[in-house]
Amino acid sequence: MKKILITGGAGFIGSHVVRLFVNKYPDYQIFNLDKLTYAGNLENLSDIDQKPNYHFVKGDIVDAEFINQLFEKERFDGVIHLAAESHVDRSITNPMEFIFTNVVGTVNLLNAAKNLWKENYEGKRFYHISTDEVYGALGETGSFKETTPYSPHSPYSASKASSDHFVRAYHDTYGLPSVISNCSNNYGPNQFPEKLIPLFINNIKHNKSLPVYGKGINVRDWLYVEDHARAIDLIFHKGQTGSTYNIGGNNEWRNIDLIKKLIEILDHKLGRPAGTSLSLITYVTDRAGHDLRYAIDATKLHTELGWQPTIQFDEGFDATVDWYLANEKWLDNVTSGSYQEYYRKMYGE
C-alpha cells in the first residue's frame, strides 16, 4: 500500500489533487500536509475528510526537524510538493517569506526524502509542482518549452526557479527520483479570492471596484484546475524520472478581455442590464516587473503521456462563475477569515 505525501493539500490546486488521489486510489494512503496559512482551507476537502485513506497533518515545511520526524514516522513512498507562497504582489511586499517557504521548505523535503530512501529508490518519486513564471516573459509570439532558459522577474518566480534548480540538483547529485512540472494560470472552484478570477467575481457581485494593472494588456494562458490535477496524476505515475513537463491550456487571454468576459457572464447571471458592471473597471499603476505575456507549449506532455485539456474554456469559465455564486458562504468565510474555525472544530486546536 503506497503512502503519498501531498504538501499544500488544503490550498486551491492542492485540494483538487488530494481529492482526485483519495477517490481514485483507495489503496493509497494520502497524507495532506498543510500549514493552514490564509490560503489553506480544510473546508475545501470536507467531502472526503472522513475517507479511511485520507490523513491531515498540520505543519510547516520550513521546520526541518518536524519534516524529518514526519518522514521517519510515516515512511512515505512518494511526495507531491505543491506547498508554496504563490501571490506575486505578496512576494514584492515580503520576499523573505517566499524564500523560506519556496526554497528552504523545498530543500527540507528533498533532504527528508533522500535520507529516508537512502538511495533505495525503487518505487519512490519526488514530484515538484512549479510555475510558468520561472521562464520570464514572452513577446507577442512564441511559447515556453521545457528547454526555455529561466528568467524570473519577481521574487515569487525567482523563489520557484530556485526550488526547481534544487530539485534538479538533488536528482543529478544524489540520484533522487524526481520530476518537475511548470503550469500556466489555473482557474476553478476553491481559489482564494486574492487571485484575479475569484477576486473579480466577488467584486462584481458586490459592486466593488475592479482594479486592472496598467492597460490590462498582459496575456495569460488559463487552465481549468481539474485538468491540472489530472496532469499531475499522470506525471506522478508515468512521467520520466529527471524530466520536466509543461502543462498549459492553449487558452490565452488578455487580462482586460477576461475581465470583460466575466462582466458579461455575471451581469447576465445576476439579472443586471448587459454591461452594467463595466463602470467598475479602474485602471491602476502597473505591478513592478509585470511580465507581458505567458504561453505554454505542452507538446511534450501530450506526445509522451497523452494528456490534453478536457474542459473547454467557455464550459469551465461558466462552471467556475456558477460555483462561486452558489457557494456564497464559502466565499464569505474565506474573505472574513472565519474558515479557520473549521480546523478548530475538526481538530480541537
Side-chain angles (χ1 to χ4, degrees):
M1 188 176 291
K2 292 195 173 186
K3 281 190 171 184
I4 309 299
L5 175 67
I6 300 177
T7 70
F12 169 44
I13 298 171
S15 62
H16 288 274
V17 175
V18 167
R19 179 179 295 102
L20 175 64
F21 272 68
V22 167
N23 288 331
K24 186 174 180 180
Y25 302 106
D27 291 338
Y28 289 8
Q29 292 297 313
I30 304 301
F31 289 78
N32 170 16
L33 170 63
D34 202 291
K35 185 181 176 181
L36 295 184
T37 61
Y38 73 95
N41 183 358
L42 286 177
E43 288 182 339
N44 295 344
L45 294 164
S46 59
D47 57 317
I48 57 102
D49 62 8
Q50 299 302 311
K51 297 260 178 124
N53 63 329
Y54 171 77
H55 313 273
F56 173 70
V57 180
K58 185 180 181 183
D60 188 351
I61 60 173
V62 175
D63 185 343
E65 182 178 0
F66 165 77
I67 291 297
N68 290 333
Q69 290 174 352
L70 180 64
F71 272 67
E72 187 62 34
K73 175 185 176 184
E74 301 297 348
R75 319 291 295 182
F76 300 117
D77 300 299
V79 177
I80 300 176
H81 176 36
L82 291 122
E85 294 289 344
S86 65
H87 193 49
V88 174
D89 289 350
R90 288 177 183 265
S91 80
I92 294 170
T93 303
N94 185 9
M96 290 306 299
E97 187 174 7
F98 285 68
I99 293 167
F100 282 118
T101 299
N102 297 354
V103 183
V104 176
T106 299
V107 175
N108 285 340
L109 291 165
L110 289 165
N111 283 333
K114 176 177 69 73
N115 294 336
L116 174 64
W117 298 336
K118 295 182 173 65
E119 299 184 9
N120 180 19
Y121 293 143
E122 184 68 29
K124 306 295 192 295
R125 169 150 287 183
F126 189 104
Y127 180 6
H128 175 62
I129 284 83
S130 190
T131 171
D132 58 356
E133 296 192 36
V134 299
Y135 297 121
L138 292 164
E140 294 182 1
T141 61
S143 55
F144 297 133
K145 297 178 171 58
E146 287 82 0
T147 54
T148 300
Y150 277 25
S151 182
H153 293 150
S154 71
Y156 162 61
S157 57
S159 69
K160 291 299 289 185
S162 178
S163 63
D164 292 5
H165 290 321
F166 271 106
V167 174
R168 292 193 181 95
Y170 271 61
H171 172 266
D172 295 348
T173 302
Y174 306 111
L176 191 77
S178 62
V179 288
I180 297 172
S181 63
N182 299 82
C183 191
S184 58
N185 283 30
N186 282 210
Y187 71 98
N190 300 113
Q191 188 172 28
F192 190 83
E194 68 181 352
K195 299 298 178 76
L196 191 152
I197 289 178
L199 173 66
F200 279 31
I201 290 173
N202 195 41
N203 284 12
I204 293 168
K205 180 180 176 183
H206 292 99
N207 289 302
K208 293 182 178 179
S209 174
L210 306 178
V212 179
Y213 283 126
K215 297 180 180 179
I217 60 174
N218 303 77
V219 177
R220 299 293 180 261
D221 174 36
W222 292 91
L223 178 69
Y224 193 63
V225 64
E226 290 182 4
D227 275 333
H228 189 189
R230 288 194 312 104
I232 289 171
D233 176 24
L234 196 60
I235 293 168
F236 180 75
H237 287 98
K238 297 184 178 180
Q240 183 179 351
T241 297
S243 283
T244 295
Y245 295 90
N246 280 350
I247 310 171
N250 193 28
N251 179 42
E252 294 181 48
W253 284 76
R254 293 195 314 167
N255 285 347
I256 190 63
D257 296 331
L258 186 78
I259 292 161
K260 288 179 178 178
K261 179 74 170 177
L262 264 180
I263 288 171
E264 176 188 337
I265 293 173
L266 277 157
D267 278 350
H268 173 72
K269 291 182 180 294
L270 295 172
R272 299 172 182 172
T276 298
S277 301
L278 287 171
S279 62
L280 299 174
I281 294 175
T282 304
Y283 294 95
V284 299
T285 302
D286 205 359
R287 169 195 285 160
H290 199 178
D291 294 330
L292 177 63
R293 175 173 169 263
Y294 303 143
I296 282 285
D297 182 345
T299 301
K300 178 180 178 181
L301 182 57
H302 175 66
T303 302
E304 288 191 11
L305 302 181
W307 178 91
Q308 59 185 4
T310 61
I311 306 297
Q312 298 301 312
F313 185 68
D314 284 345
E315 174 191 358
F317 207 46
D318 197 64
T320 298
V321 172
D322 283 343
W323 189 89
Y324 285 102
L325 292 179
N327 287 272
E328 184 175 5
K329 182 179 179 182
W330 181 93
L331 197 55
D332 290 344
N333 285 348
V334 168
T335 52
S336 70
S338 63
Y339 67 95
Q340 295 175 353
E341 291 294 332
Y342 183 86
Y343 173 78
R344 287 187 281 269
K345 178 181 177 182
M346 292 296 293
Y347 297 95
E349 296 181 20

